[in-house]
Amino acid sequence: TEQTVVTTCTLLACSSADELEKWMASLNEAIAMGNAAAAGKGDGLFAKVPIDEGTFLFAYEGEELDEEAFFRRYPKADGRYIACLTDDLYIDGADAAKSNVARWMNHASAAKANVAWRKQTIGPRKAMRFYATRAISPGEELCFDYDASGSYWEALGETPLD
């Protein structure tokens, strides 16, 4: 049987917005949203095929908000699907119609996470992009450390599961 392996676009190899967009179009072949409970975390995102270490997975997508719009929407800074890119640029992935699969990734401690994010600028666009930190097997949940400083969890008034 033929098996697809995601390998061609890594942090070092993706150098243009066009290349990233082309690569992102192939993501449905690499990952799928899992609808089953993920260890008490709710829905999660799971690999369908092997993913090599360093592979670019996707950018976090959603509605762009400046700081004023962010605090109007979330006065307690408690948005569950928020990515903070700069002091005045937030991406809100709460609306599934405006977001992408990145919103389904669950938290894992840095020691257990298999995905890491990088805030990057390619051309005029700032983005939060995700990369595999190690080889990921089919069926494995994709997880990243939401916030090592703890401010995300503090705003939600919660403690992470791990």
Side-chain angles (χ1 to χ4, degrees), residues 60-123:
Y60 196 85
E61 301 289 335
E63 186 179 356
E64 290 188 5
L65 305 173
D66 62 19
E67 185 176 38
E68 184 178 324
F70 169 74
F71 281 107
R72 261 196 322 270
R73 186 173 291 174
Y74 302 106
K76 297 179 182 177
D78 59 353
R80 290 204 171 270
Y81 296 96
I82 292 292
C84 176
L85 298 183
T86 69
D87 288 342
D88 197 42
L89 178 59
Y90 300 82
I91 298 176
D92 188 351
D95 183 346
K98 296 178 183 177
S99 189
N100 65 352
V101 296
R103 74 190 298 273
W104 296 110
M105 275 196 301
N106 285 313
H107 167 78
S109 65
K112 295 180 182 179
N114 55 12
V115 174
W117 54 268
R118 294 185 191 267
K119 294 178 185 179
Q120 297 174 308
T121 301
I122 296 182

Side-chain angles (χ1 to χ4, degrees), residues 7-87:
T7 59
T8 60
C9 192
T10 67
L11 175 59
L12 300 175
C14 281
S15 58
S16 72
D18 288 341
E19 189 176 345
L20 285 174
E21 292 301 320
K22 181 179 176 185
W23 185 250
M24 289 170 67
S26 70
L27 290 177
N28 287 337
E29 295 300 316
I31 54 178
M33 184 172 41
N35 292 323
K41 301 177 187 178
D43 288 343
L45 190 64
F46 298 84
K48 286 172 50 177
V49 299
I51 300 173
D52 287 346
E53 179 179 350
T55 299
F56 167 75
L57 299 170
F58 34 71
Y60 196 85
E61 301 289 335
E63 186 179 356
E64 290 188 5
L65 305 173
D66 62 19
E67 185 176 38
E68 184 178 324
F70 169 74
F71 281 107
R72 261 196 322 270
R73 186 173 291 174
Y74 302 106
K76 297 179 182 177
D78 59 353
R80 290 204 171 270
Y81 296 96
I82 292 292
C84 176
L85 298 183
T86 69
D87 288 342

Side-chain angles (χ1 to χ4, degrees), residues 84 115-119 128-131 144-147:
C84 176
V115 174
W117 54 268
R118 294 185 191 267
K119 294 178 185 179
M128 176 182 262
R129 294 187 173 88
F130 294 92
Y131 297 85
F144 74 103
D145 186 353
Y146 283 10
D147 175 25

